[in-house]
Amino acid sequence: MSETCMLCQVIALEEALRNNNYILDLKYDGSRCIAKRYENGAVALFNRQGRNITYRYPELLKALRGFLPCDSVADGEIVIMKDWETHLTDFNALQGREHLQNTFKIKLRSESNPATLVLFDLIRLQGQDLAWQPIEKRRQELHNLFTFNTFNTFNTSNRIVEVKEFENLKDAWDFVKKHNLEGLILKAKGSPYEYRRSNNWLKLKNTRRATVEVSGYEEHPKGITLTGRKIRVACNGHQSIEVKRLLEQKGRLQVEIEYLEMTKNGFYRMPTFKKVVGYGFYS
C-alpha cells in the first residue's frame, strides 16, 4: 500500500456555504501522518511525502500498538496540543521536533513536548482495504476503534485522539474564528479515499490579511519571490511580470498578503501574494 495520502483543494467560504453535503472536520495545525501497523505488529509513521518519521515520535508508538490492529492503516495529523478544550495546537513547538536526529534530544522533546496523533480516516483494517468504501463507513470503523479501546478523546494522558467533527458549517466556522484555529476540512459524503489531491476534500482556511513592504525579488521558473523585512512571498504567473516591472521602477512596493499566523520570530507564516496596493516608502 502507498504511503502517500489524500490531499485537499482550497475552497472559499462563500462557495462552501452553497453545499451542505459534507462531513465537517476541524483542520489541525500540525504535520500530516500515515500510521501503519504491519501484520507482524510493528508500527511505522510516514509524512505526506512518504518519508518514514517513526523515530521522531517514540511516545506515539506504544499508543499505536495498543490502538491500531495488525495489518491496518490510519490517516491523521501529528500535533502538539496547546489547549485541549479549544483544540488549539502549537505549531512552533512541533517544528522544534520535525528535524531532530539525535536520539537523546528526541527523547527529551518527547517528554517535554509530547505529540498527539489526531486520526480522521481509516484506510485499511485487519487486512481489509477500506479506501474504496464511502467516508461514512471508514469513519464509523475508526470510531469503533476508539469506542473499543475506550479512549477518552482529548484527555491529556492519551496520545491518540479522534478528530473533532461538526454538524453544520456555521457553528464550525464560528468555533474556528472564536478560537483562532487553522480552518476546516470539508469532505464529500459518499467519497472514497484517493491517493492524490482531490476535490472531494476541500480546505477552508482561516487566514488573515496584511499590507507589507517589499524592496527586492528573486527570480524562479514560475515567477518571482518578493522579499522584504521578515517577508518572502511568491508572485507567480503573468502578474509577476508587472509586479517585477513596478518594483524595478519604484524601488519599493506595498503589497497585500494573506497569511496564516505570525511566527514566534515575527515572520508571516505561509504568506500568499494578493495584489499591489501602493508604491515607494510608507508616509
Side-chain angles (χ1 to χ4, degrees):
M1 177 178 286
S2 172
E3 282 82 33
T4 57
C5 51
M6 188 168 175
L7 300 174
C8 308
Q9 301 282 9
V10 177
I11 190 173
L13 180 61
E14 295 77 13
E15 185 179 351
L17 288 169
R18 299 191 195 113
N19 188 343
N20 62 359
N21 196 36
Y22 294 115
I23 288 173
L24 306 171
D25 285 353
L26 184 66
K27 187 180 188 313
Y28 293 80
D29 197 2
S31 181
R32 190 69 174 275
C33 177
I34 296 290
K36 288 188 173 186
R37 191 168 186 212
Y38 296 95
E39 289 183 76
N40 64 3
V43 171
L45 304 172
F46 299 89
N47 66 11
R48 62 180 284 178
Q49 289 79 32
R51 187 175 301 129
N52 193 315
I53 56 171
T54 310
Y55 67 94
R56 289 183 193 165
Y57 304 101
E59 69 272 34
L60 298 180
L61 304 186
K62 182 179 178 181
L64 274 170
R65 290 189 191 102
F67 174 81
L68 201 59
C70 291
D71 200 5
S72 299
V73 182
D75 191 358
E77 191 92 358
I78 294 177
V79 302
I80 292 179
M81 201 63 67
K82 195 172 185 178
D83 187 318
W84 291 88
E85 184 176 349
T86 65
H87 303 244
L88 181 65
T89 62
D90 189 340
F91 185 78
N92 288 319
L94 183 66
Q95 270 198 318
R97 298 192 56 183
E98 284 283 271
H99 304 292
L100 290 179
Q101 300 290 331
N102 182 277
T103 304
F104 179 69
K105 289 183 178 179
I106 288 172
K107 184 177 185 301
L108 285 180
R109 292 292 181 89
S110 72
E111 295 170 352
S112 62
N113 281 323
T116 294
L117 179 57
V118 182
L119 293 179
F120 48 72
D121 215 322
L122 192 60
I123 310 168
R124 186 176 181 85
L125 179 61
Q126 294 179 302
Q128 180 185 2
D129 182 14
L130 301 182
W132 62 275
Q133 297 273 12
I135 187 172
E136 294 90 338
K137 168 71 172 174
R138 303 195 310 272
R139 185 61 65 84
Q140 185 59 54
E141 293 287 4
L142 179 63
H143 183 69
N144 290 345
L145 285 182
F146 278 100
T147 303
F148 177 77
N149 286 277
T150 62
F151 269 66
N152 181 15
T153 303
F154 285 93
N155 181 308
T156 54
S157 65
N158 292 322
R159 301 272 60 87
I160 303 176
V161 299
E162 197 169 8
V163 67
K164 181 173 178 59
E165 187 178 330
F166 298 89
E167 291 296 323
N168 67 77
L169 184 56
K170 183 183 183 304
D171 288 347
W173 194 241
D174 287 347
F175 185 88
V176 166
K177 299 298 285 187
K178 178 180 179 180
H179 300 297
N180 201 24
L181 303 176
E182 188 179 0
L184 298 169
I185 303 293
L186 286 60
K187 301 177 178 179
K189 293 178 181 178
S191 60
Y193 189 95
E194 305 169 71
Y195 297 96
R196 63 184 181 89
R197 193 172 297 280
S198 170
N199 285 323
N200 281 324
W201 284 15
L202 301 172
K203 176 167 53 179
L204 185 57
K205 297 168 68 176
N206 180 24
T207 54
R208 303 156 183 78
R209 293 207 175 199
T211 298
V212 299
E213 185 173 86
V214 296
S215 56
Y217 68 87
E218 299 168 3
E219 293 187 290
H220 56 79
K222 292 184 178 181
I224 58 176
T225 296
L226 298 170
T227 60
R229 186 175 179 273
K230 296 198 172 186
I231 181 68
R232 291 175 60 85
V233 60
C235 177
N236 299 330
H238 294 299
Q239 65 179 346
S240 67
I241 299 172
E242 177 63 13
V243 173
K244 176 183 172 182
R245 184 189 68 79
L246 284 172
L247 188 54
E248 290 175 341
Q249 182 182 78
K250 303 293 184 179
R252 295 174 184 267
L253 299 177
Q254 281 76 56
V255 300
E256 184 178 279
I257 63 166
E258 201 171 65
Y259 67 100
L260 191 59
E261 65 176 353
M262 298 297 293
T263 70
K264 62 180 180 180
N265 297 322
F267 287 85
Y268 294 93
R269 183 172 161 226
M270 297 177 65
T272 303
F273 174 85
K274 304 307 290 184
K275 61 184 177 181
V276 175
V277 295
Y279 314 127
F281 292 89
Y282 281 119
S283 58

